[in-house]
Amino acid sequence: RRRTLMSAVRFRDATVADVPTITALQNAAADALTARVGHGPWSATVTERSTLAGLQHARLRVGREGSRIVTVLRLATAKPWAIDAAFFTPVRKPLYLTGMAVAVAEQRRGLGRLALDDAVDVAQRLQQLRAFDRDLHDKTRLIRTRIV
């Protein structure tokens, strides 16, 4: 099943043309999670303006199944204010996964895991992967890597 998904989903960097779709996907995912588990930090909505800013300050990766965007994640080199670096392996140049969403209708199919695998591939291509715990139960934790 995973092999089928891997061949059907293609990942690439987001473009300005993707901003409206990414914004809608993130808001729908946030609304669905809020409906399922209640209000929390995930309940905040995004605007096209904030998504566009994300393109300028981080690397947004989208996963496409055919012509539809089904995943989005945000990789940033700047440390978010809420992260305590003491909980991560010390590195010279970190890469943080600071946001992730899967289209609501496509959740529970393994697409989020594929998106995380893509993030690791991106880090390797950038020669930034140094320390990554593949055994984490919760793969949505922030990834911190470094240039080798």
Side-chain angles (χ1 to χ4, degrees):
R1 179 178 164 195
R2 186 167 174 168
R3 199 177 303 279
T4 304
L5 277 177
M6 288 171 54
S7 64
V9 179
R10 298 284 178 224
F11 296 93
R12 65 168 173 77
D13 289 335
T15 65
V16 172
D18 298 323
V19 167
T21 304
I22 291 169
T23 302
L25 186 151
Q26 290 178 314
N27 287 333
D31 291 346
L33 186 58
T34 299
R36 191 166 55 241
V37 299
H39 190 75
W42 52 84
S43 301
T45 58
V46 295
T47 63
E48 288 186 16
R49 183 176 176 187
S50 64
T51 302
L52 188 58
L55 271 176
Q56 296 168 349
H57 300 291
R59 187 173 192 159
L60 293 182
R61 296 285 292 172
V62 294
R64 298 181 70 94
E65 195 167 40
S67 62
R68 296 178 323 117
I69 293 176
V70 292
T71 68
V72 61
L73 56 80
R74 183 179 191 274
L75 298 169
T77 55
K79 182 182 94 53
W81 67 270
I83 290 186
D84 183 351
F87 290 100
F88 295 89
T89 304
V91 294
R92 203 178 46 155
K93 179 139 176 120
L95 183 66
Y96 299 93
L97 171 63
T98 58
M100 179 175 171
V102 176
V104 175
E106 306 302 328
Q107 291 179 1
R108 305 273 186 229
R109 291 183 46 214
L111 297 176
R113 186 164 303 194
L114 289 178
L116 290 170
D117 290 344
D118 176 66
V120 172
D121 291 344
V122 167
Q124 287 174 329
R125 283 194 305 270
L126 296 173
Q127 297 181 0
Q128 289 180 311
L129 187 63
R130 181 64 180 170
F132 180 75
D133 186 353
R134 290 185 176 269
D135 297 325
L136 289 175
H137 288 290
D138 182 4
K139 287 185 102 177
T140 59
R141 290 183 190 239
L142 299 175
I143 299 171
R144 185 169 180 174
T145 58
R146 80 169 218 197
I147 291 180
V148 177

